Amino acid sequence: MRKLILATLSFVLPTAALATENATVEVTATRIPEKALTTESIIIDKDKIERNSIKTIADIFFEEPQITISNNGWGQISNVYIRGLGSKYILFLINGAPILNDPSTPEGTPDIDFLDFSSFTKIEVLKGVQGALYGSEAVGGVINFITEPENKTTLKIEGGSYDTLKETLKTGVRDKKSAFSMTFENFHSNGYDTTGDGDRESSSYHLINFNLKLIPKPSVKIKQFFSFKTGRNEYDNGEVNYQQILTTINSKILTSDRSILETVAGYGSTKRDYSYGTYTGETGYLSVFKKIFFKNITMSPGVDFKESKANSPSTGEKTINTKAIFLNTSFKTENLSLSPSIRAEKYSSFGTYTTAKLSGSFKVEKETFIKFQLGNGLKAPTIEQLYSYYPPMFGWPATYGNPDLEPEKSKGISAGLLKVFNKDNSVEVSYFYNKIDNQIVWTYDASLGYNTYKNLNNSKVEGIETSIKLSLTEKTQINTSYTYTNGRWSNGTNTYKIPKVPENMIKTNLNFKPSKNLSLNVENIYYSKRFDDQYNNRILPAFSIFNTSVSYKASEKITISGKILNITNKKYQLSYGYNQPGRSYFISIEAAF
């Protein structure tokens, strides 16, 4: 009975979340939660999310160490890169459910700028190949957006450059057995001229979401999230009106003093209306798994089911699904942590594929860790690549999908050394390598007389990541990171550099907190020159920009914040021909009730 009570308490009590990645912070995207110190991960906590709240999800990643961003301007479609691999090789989750990747897009990627980060209390970035955990797309990494109900009522008004205005109302209640919160949000910005054609690219949206947590009895925990968002984004020579629905349900049942039965279910739908047609992508997901605890070992067998549906002018209505069985294991001693995983998955589009992964860490001495990871992954062909049809136009031949495509296959390894001096001072260096074969490309087939998709290319990415966290004084913290990325792709005849990704990237953040009510933040972001296109014809120049923000808690109920982006008004681009914002000013006032 005593064991059951202790297990129940650890099961229902939330994990402490500190601003630094110390021994108490956990990563849940690993399926079996692991300490952040012993995983190759990035944790974005609620303080950092709120500090960047006027901007987009892509802007938060732009400021994060070891993550690269490309887009066509502020608020436009963004591509996220982890260790040189873009969004099509990254799986995006909400509360552990992979429902964000949009099956109606050519690469099956989400538009992360449709997401509203006021919904999230934590973002986990799991780096490296994670195919054994989640299957397709998890080649370069996994990004998990986490929601929790908040026990407060606040009204926040934000505004600034480009006639930007954002209003957010949050309200929540909590008792011993339940918690509930809702968010209402409106946003509008007239934007700026991204291309120099004199036309400003505006955007607007309306959002409502709720979070519910129930603990009907000590051994049962249920969490539900629901979000409905409608918006409009103007882009160069066009616009898109979109509607997004996201919902997840997570449950945990303590079945004995040694086991927990968990269920993760989710549904995501994105509808995009353009002048030339409507594109709708839907994803349904269900995972059931059991965690069984022994003295030093946790085992978690389970099953997954995922169905993806697309309806677009190029594909019509098409559906693909996957079924998987998996086993995740965690072995821990005082100095050693090992996490082997294996997954067998059946895809309706091509058959069965097996992935495996081994990750772990070893404590060499006090607060010195060696971390490693190796595994394989896959990127399944998308509905667009399998079934699309585009008629001949403007002198171009027709395009037909290829239902005989095979999955792209990857292998990845990484290893690193972490030295932690205390919770505010640490040094880490890591090496990573990822190889992808069988890459799917759009190409002209002379024997058929039309364009189609084929498994032709391969790529290799390797590099080094370093990060330093240093407490200069009790009130001053500096974090800096350097990432070297050497990415190449080949068509069998020629080899080119992977576009958009800088060979050298440095990000530095200085935080000064002179009092408990006042915080000042200054950051610098540097990208070296890089190619814009896959055949390396266009160069994006190097750039270095500075941002700053300040937050002042005027009273127990009033917080005033301000930020200046691109302080030096630097002209730079993340995609060729599309300018990033110049010097921009924003201010916010938040009132708690």
Side-chain angles (χ1 to χ4, degrees), residues 19-21 421 423-427 467-471 477-480:
T20 56
E21 291 181 17
F421 300 98
K423 71 182 183 68
D424 295 321
N425 296 273
S426 64
V427 178
S467 64
I468 299 174
K469 296 184 178 182
L470 181 64
S471 179
Q477 177 82 27
I478 185 168
N479 301 329
T480 186

Side-chain angles (χ1 to χ4, degrees), residues 166-426:
K166 181 178 180 181
E167 306 126 326
T168 306
L169 173 64
K170 294 183 178 182
T171 184
V173 293
R174 181 188 301 268
D175 61 27
K176 292 182 179 180
K177 293 187 176 182
S178 63
F180 178 80
S181 65
M182 291 190 72
T183 300
F184 303 89
E185 189 166 278
N186 292 306
F187 173 87
H188 177 80
S189 176
N190 284 335
Y192 65 98
D193 182 8
T194 61
T195 61
D197 62 0
D199 181 31
R200 298 171 70 177
E201 280 69 45
S202 65
S203 61
S204 61
Y205 67 76
H206 308 283
L207 167 82
I208 181 172
N209 69 44
F210 70 80
N211 279 282
L212 173 66
K213 181 179 285 187
L214 298 173
I215 307 176
K217 56 183 180 179
S219 60
V220 177
K221 179 178 177 182
I222 301 169
K223 182 173 78 170
Q224 183 177 8
F225 167 74
F226 174 83
S227 173
F228 177 75
K229 184 178 183 181
T230 60
R232 172 186 172 275
N233 285 349
E234 185 181 5
Y235 58 91
D236 190 34
N237 299 320
E239 68 177 41
V240 55
N241 292 278
Y242 64 89
Q243 175 182 291
Q244 186 181 65
I245 298 172
L246 300 168
T247 186
T248 61
I249 299 177
N250 301 69
S251 69
K252 298 181 180 181
I253 301 174
L254 192 70
T255 53
S256 74
D257 63 338
R258 291 185 178 273
S259 64
I260 296 174
L261 180 66
E262 297 194 29
T263 301
V264 178
Y267 170 79
S269 171
T270 301
K271 180 181 178 182
R272 297 171 288 127
D273 287 317
Y274 300 90
S275 60
Y276 49 84
T278 298
Y279 294 74
T280 303
E282 298 177 80
T283 300
Y285 176 77
L286 175 64
S287 181
V288 181
F289 52 98
K290 195 167 189 175
K291 292 176 182 174
I292 306 168
F293 305 96
F294 302 97
K295 183 177 181 181
N296 294 318
I297 299 176
T298 300
M299 300 183 69
S300 181
V303 295
D304 280 354
F305 176 78
K306 182 179 177 182
E307 182 174 271
S308 300
K309 180 187 295 184
N311 192 346
S312 72
S314 60
T315 64
E317 186 173 313
K318 292 290 189 297
T319 301
I320 57 177
N321 62 69
T322 61
K323 302 172 184 178
I325 58 172
F326 59 85
L327 175 63
N328 300 316
T329 307
S330 177
F331 171 79
K332 296 178 181 179
T333 65
E334 183 178 356
N335 297 319
L336 178 66
S337 175
L338 292 175
S339 298
S341 299
I342 189 168
R343 179 185 185 90
E345 197 155 13
K346 184 177 181 180
Y347 293 80
S348 62
S349 54
F350 63 84
T352 302
Y353 197 85
T354 300
T355 50
K357 171 192 165 186
L358 176 64
S359 62
S361 66
F362 178 71
K363 185 186 289 188
V364 181
E365 57 182 25
K366 186 178 180 181
E367 301 307 318
T368 301
F369 302 88
I370 294 175
K371 299 190 283 188
F372 68 91
Q373 181 173 259
L374 67 157
N376 70 322
L378 77 155
K379 171 72 168 71
T382 66
I383 290 176
E384 174 87 6
Q385 293 165 345
L386 291 166
Y387 306 117
S388 63
Y389 168 72
Y390 293 89
M393 62 180 67
F394 309 117
W396 286 81
T399 293
Y400 289 86
N402 181 359
D404 296 323
L405 286 171
E406 294 292 323
E408 301 182 25
K409 302 174 182 179
S410 74
K411 293 180 181 178
I413 62 170
S414 60
L417 179 67
L418 169 66
K419 174 64 179 179
V420 180
F421 300 98
N422 54 50
K423 71 182 183 68
D424 295 321
N425 296 273
S426 64

